[in-house]
Amino acid sequence: MSVGIVSYGAYVPQYRIKIDEIARVWGDDAEILKSGLMVFEKSVPDVDEDAATIAVEAARAAVSRSGIDAQRIGAVYTGSESHPYAVKPTSTIVAEATGATPVLTAADFEFACKAGTAAVQACMGLVSSGMIDLGLAIGADVAQGAPGDALEYTAAAGGVAYVIGNKESELAAIIEDTYSFTTDTPDFWRREGMPYPEHGGRFTGEPGYFKHVTNAAKGLMEKIDTKPADYDYAVFHQPNGKFPTRVAKMLGFSKEQIKPGLVVPRLGNTYSGSCMMGIAATLDQAKPGDRIFATAFGSGAGGDAFSITVTDRIEEIRDNAPKVEELLANPTYIDYSKYARHKGKIKVA
């Protein structure tokens, strides 16, 4: 029995701030930053947007894209590291807003930037076991970066939702297999009650991102006996533009394979939505029979790898909801003062 993607939907806020504008405020060299990060602008949530509203928009797009009956959804899992409530699930909001309630299970997931792909894996298991008909897995974030911190140049907002099922006639893409590699590596963290995360800076790349992405990716290819040349596209977690480009080369994937899904230069790092957004952008243009290799990363730390084959069904559903490229088009640019207001960085004692 196959399990895979029945539908998908994405959401990106219309507001953007350019790296040049953030650098101007903090007296940094914008050209060095853009060259080093391979990020030129990032999305910013509106004043009334949070991880829950973004998750709802992505989920509604996923439901409408394939025209499924939301009552068939038996599980809603939202992955995020910026859930609006410390106690109160985001996923119940999504379930209600999409018309999936009340007969379903719901929970919120947290695993830094790979909480969304962990939700995909959970839905795969529930669908494959026959416990549910369809599962809804979401990765959504309004990522935080302290004023003046390096994260402020990339921490963005956006979300992606995937409907997971196992009926052959409904699958737009088959998930052939998945493989995870996980360790306790404290490269990035935020304690309860703290407004901004802390991190080990440049020293975390090798023991965090590169170790877990390469091991998850190699593990999956060994498990199913594939190699980079067997895939038409590849997507890796995008904390910036440099890391996924470098890890693709390390693993033997080409720039051409990762280019369609490399959205971070114009979007920034959407954290739980990052790798999932790259997959969505790739599905937006993939042809039936194309294969996609994807590996998400979450600090703390772990990697989830997936091997995906696109089916004929993609042509039937693709144009029924906004594509990632459409969501990135025609942004509204704001200055740092408006950005600070949108992100709630100005506090009154």
Side-chain angles (χ1 to χ4, degrees):
M1 181 195 301
S2 297
V3 62
I5 298 166
V6 170
S7 189
Y8 66 100
Y11 178 76
V12 177
Q14 74 175 77
Y15 292 99
R16 306 282 190 283
I17 186 168
K18 291 182 178 289
I19 298 305
D20 304 72
E21 171 64 9
I22 301 174
R24 178 189 67 80
V25 170
W26 299 113
D28 292 331
D29 190 317
E31 295 308 314
I32 290 177
L33 285 164
K34 288 187 289 187
S35 174
L37 294 171
M38 291 174 60
V39 175
F40 306 100
E41 60 190 61
K42 69 170 192 171
S43 60
V44 181
D46 203 343
V47 291
D48 61 350
E49 290 184 313
D50 57 22
T53 66
I54 287 172
V56 165
E57 291 294 334
R60 284 175 168 171
V63 170
S64 64
R65 175 170 258 130
S66 63
I68 62 165
D69 179 359
Q71 284 289 297
R72 293 176 56 198
I73 296 171
V76 175
Y77 296 136
T78 306
S80 181
E81 59 179 72
S82 51
H83 289 288
Y85 295 96
V87 179
K88 163 71 176 82
T90 301
S91 294
T92 53
I93 300 171
V94 176
E96 197 76 57
T98 54
T101 52
V103 186
L104 80 163
T105 181
D108 289 355
F109 279 34
E110 290 185 11
F111 196 141
C113 297
K114 81 167 190 71
T117 54
V120 169
Q121 291 174 324
C123 286
M124 288 173 65
L126 289 172
V127 166
S128 296
S129 71
M131 285 181 65
I132 63 172
D133 183 5
L134 298 173
L136 181 60
I138 305 158
D141 260 304
V142 286
Q144 315 96 349
D149 186 82
L151 290 178
E152 197 172 33
Y153 289 101
T154 56
V160 189
Y162 287 92
V163 178
I164 305 299
N166 64 359
K167 291 180 174 59
E168 295 277 357
S169 62
E170 294 183 333
L171 297 182
I174 296 168
I175 301 176
E176 300 159 347
D177 212 336
T178 182
Y179 183 99
S180 296
F181 182 89
T182 309
T183 72
D184 182 23
T185 303
D187 54 332
F188 179 100
W189 64 95
R190 179 171 62 85
R191 284 191 176 275
E192 179 68 31
M194 298 300 292
Y196 301 112
E198 297 180 65
H199 55 90
R202 69 184 65 187
F203 302 104
T204 65
E206 295 301 330
Y209 183 94
F210 292 101
K211 176 180 178 179
H212 294 79
V213 170
T214 55
N215 277 285
K218 288 177 180 177
L220 179 56
M221 285 188 279
E222 289 173 7
K223 180 182 178 183
I224 61 175
D225 193 23
T226 59
K227 56 187 181 300
D230 295 329
Y231 295 92
D232 300 278
Y233 303 100
V235 180
F236 300 98
H237 171 55
Q238 303 169 30
N240 50 52
K242 182 166 281 187
F243 276 25
T245 303
R246 180 183 161 195
V247 84
K249 184 177 181 181
M250 290 169 64
L251 290 165
F253 290 93
S254 68
K255 287 184 178 180
E256 289 70 30
Q257 285 170 298
I258 67 169
K259 185 178 179 181
L262 194 63
V263 294
V264 68
R266 292 183 293 153
L267 175 61
N269 180 9
T270 52
Y271 285 54
S272 295
S274 174
C275 183
M276 296 171 75
M277 189 75 73
I279 296 170
T282 304
L283 287 172
D284 284 341
Q285 56 186 281
K287 301 184 299 295
D290 283 349
R291 297 181 82 185
I292 304 167
F293 189 86
T295 308
F297 169 74
S299 289
D304 297 333
F306 299 85
S307 181
I308 302 166
T309 296
V310 181
T311 75
D312 293 340
R313 173 76 172 151
I314 194 72
E315 305 283 10
E316 299 176 39
I317 71 168
R318 181 155 38 206
D319 297 330
N320 297 335
K323 298 176 183 176
V324 174
E325 189 60 39
E326 294 169 16
L327 294 167
L328 292 174
N330 304 313
T332 299
Y333 290 101
I334 58 177
D335 60 18
Y336 193 90
S337 61
K338 286 186 178 178
Y339 161 73
R341 176 173 177 261
H342 280 228
K343 291 291 292 177
K345 290 176 181 279
I346 301 171
K347 306 292 184 183
V348 178

